[in-house]
Amino acid sequence: MEQAPSVEALFKPFSIGSLTLSNRIVMAPMTRMFSPEGVPGENVEAYYRRRAENGVGLIITEGTVINHPAAASHPNIPRFYGEEALDGWSRIVQSVHKAGGKIIPQLWHVGTQRAVGQAPNPEALPIGPSGITADGLKVNEPMTKKEIDMVVDAFAQGAADAQRLGFDGIELHGAHGYLIDQFFWEQTNRRQDEYGGGIAERTRFAVEIVKACRDAVGPDFPIIFRFSQWKSRPYTAKLAYTPDELAQFLSPLVDAGVDVFHCSTRRFWEPEFEGSSLNLAGWTKKITGKPVITVGSVGLDSEFLSFFAEGKGAQNVNIDGLIERLELDEFDLVAVGRALLVDPEWAVKIREGRVDELIPFTKEASRVLF
């Protein structure tokens, strides 16, 4: 019988500037909506602490919304502003650190993915680069320069608060068709000013956010930037159709000060461009030389869309192919989503070879903070 590859590569330390992680496993950010009125409580604290106690190298929190009235699309999405919410996050940081873990918040604004009249601030209209949804529906006027500056400042304030609370870095959510990504994508960004145009020009909003965050936290505080080709609607969307277009997109973000790119795909094993087996993370690392995080159905036999569309769970599968790619240095870190959502002990079970004890992902997992 052919011997399975060692998981040793997954458990080697990794450094991002001044931050050293004990291994390459990252808890992927996953929206949970267990924070009433945007305030994370003891149940959320325990949820993250359990992952730290069980060997996750880096925890990226669920999306936490910045201080803007239209940032959130549900009242139970956690806030990253206001004394009560920040006190909750402070307790979470302390708890995770006490358990030996590292944690960063994902800073988020949903943009025009928020419906008109949606809580928690129904009076606030959705905002976007051109005031339109992915379907082309007009919900507001295009953002003014003043509104853009306000959002940039809110992201920077979130970064400063993260550093003050003792977090180990930040992640900026620039993926999945939310506000930052709406500036990237030509379907939702039809501006004729300096924030629109070609693929490099459409990065300007994100570049200003990254620079403002860098100014707020200094040179040594890690800034991770999450991006994707796919959007929540449609899943088939693309920002870059060729490696050259991807390079044009990434270059301004590198120059702005991104330390790590979190390259969101639905299935990590799929090649991004014809003629190469490299996935989006592999191409991003090749182009930029920056550390990258891969993600997408790690350890499971089906992607998350089958859950959202049909309520289907997923069975555990081996991670041999993932380990082989990691050993080839195609990517540096591996984000694990649903497998860690349902099983807090996923990392330690993988390390100890207890794969027969892994818990399969089920519909129930989305309703509980295991």
Side-chain angles (χ1 to χ4, degrees):
M1 181 182 294
E2 186 176 344
Q3 188 173 3
S6 167
V7 297
E8 181 183 354
L10 203 54
F11 292 92
K12 291 181 178 178
F14 186 75
S15 293
I16 306 168
S18 59
L19 173 63
T20 297
L21 307 176
S22 62
N23 60 56
R24 307 303 180 95
I25 298 173
V26 176
M27 181 178 183
M30 292 172 283
T31 300
R32 302 310 312 273
M33 295 190 292
F34 281 89
S35 298
E37 298 182 18
V39 178
E42 292 181 1
N43 58 339
V44 177
E45 176 187 337
Y47 166 76
Y48 288 120
R49 185 187 66 241
R50 283 190 288 273
R51 276 75 187 168
E53 290 171 340
N54 284 285
V56 171
L58 176 65
I59 293 168
I60 304 177
T61 73
E62 61 206 285
T64 69
V65 293
I66 59 170
N67 188 8
H68 185 274
S73 56
H74 194 283
N76 293 346
I77 289 174
R79 292 185 274 117
F80 209 76
Y81 63 91
E83 184 177 357
E84 193 176 3
L86 291 179
D87 283 348
W89 285 116
S90 179
R91 288 189 291 271
I92 290 169
V93 170
Q94 293 174 40
S95 186
V96 166
H97 284 171
K98 188 175 181 180
K102 306 290 185 181
I103 184 169
I104 66 174
Q106 185 190 69
L107 304 180
W108 186 29
H109 192 302
V110 302
T112 57
Q113 285 209 38
R114 177 179 182 274
V116 174
Q118 200 163 20
N121 298 309
E123 72 288 349
L125 288 174
I127 63 168
S130 299
I132 59 174
T133 67
D135 300 321
L137 177 67
K138 182 175 180 178
V139 293
N140 203 346
E141 295 301 317
M143 289 172 67
T144 65
K145 183 64 169 75
K146 183 178 179 180
E147 288 173 321
I148 287 173
D149 291 344
M150 184 186 305
V151 172
V152 169
D153 289 345
F155 272 103
Q157 183 60 56
D161 285 334
Q163 188 178 51
R164 177 175 59 83
L165 295 177
F167 278 94
D168 300 293
I170 60 166
E171 176 168 282
L172 299 171
H173 195 341
H176 307 165
Y178 295 113
L179 181 62
I180 294 176
D181 198 16
Q182 286 160 21
F183 275 83
F184 291 152
W185 192 33
E186 58 186 349
Q187 182 75 13
T188 45
N189 182 351
R190 301 178 185 178
R191 299 175 72 99
Q192 302 298 312
D193 63 2
E194 67 268 35
Y195 293 95
I199 191 167
E201 288 74 22
R202 297 195 301 271
T203 67
R204 184 184 181 100
F205 178 62
V207 163
E208 290 184 1
I209 290 171
V210 174
K211 286 182 175 178
C213 289
R214 179 59 70 205
D215 288 345
V217 300
D220 298 324
F221 196 67
I223 296 177
I224 299 175
F225 192 91
R226 193 177 212 208
F227 77 99
S228 66
Q229 297 267 39
W230 66 274
K231 317 298 164 206
S232 298
R233 193 174 72 248
Y235 293 112
T236 54
K238 282 187 177 290
L239 295 177
Y241 289 88
T242 65
D244 181 63
E245 287 184 345
L246 184 61
Q248 293 178 52
F249 168 76
L250 293 169
S251 180
L253 296 168
V254 172
D255 292 343
V258 171
D259 295 302
V260 181
F261 286 99
H262 187 174
C263 311
S264 180
T265 55
R266 289 152 53 195
R267 295 171 285 259
F268 78 87
W269 55 88
E270 291 188 341
E272 191 56 44
F273 302 115
E274 287 186 12
S276 168
S277 63
L278 292 176
N279 68 6
L280 185 61
W283 272 108
T284 299
K285 183 172 184 178
K286 181 177 181 178
I287 288 168
T288 67
K290 290 287 186 180
V292 295
I293 305 171
T294 197
V295 69
S297 305
V298 173
L300 298 177
D301 67 353
S302 65
E303 61 168 342
F304 68 92
L305 287 187
S306 63
F307 167 66
F308 286 110
E310 306 164 36
K312 289 183 178 179
Q315 296 300 311
N316 302 108
V317 295
N318 72 58
I319 56 170
D320 296 356
L322 178 83
I323 298 296
E324 289 170 3
R325 286 170 174 254
L326 185 60
E327 288 175 336
L328 290 171
D329 207 29
E330 290 184 16
F331 37 76
D332 304 281
L333 299 164
V334 176
V336 183
R338 289 167 297 150
L340 257 177
L341 184 150
V342 71
D343 192 347
E345 299 180 13
W346 187 89
V348 72
K349 288 176 180 177
I350 291 292
R351 188 183 70 219
E352 296 175 357
R354 295 156 50 201
V355 293
D356 57 330
E357 298 178 27
L358 292 171
I359 301 171
F361 177 79
T362 63
K363 192 173 183 178
E364 178 65 20
S366 67
R367 306 190 185 113
V368 181
L369 289 179
F370 286 112

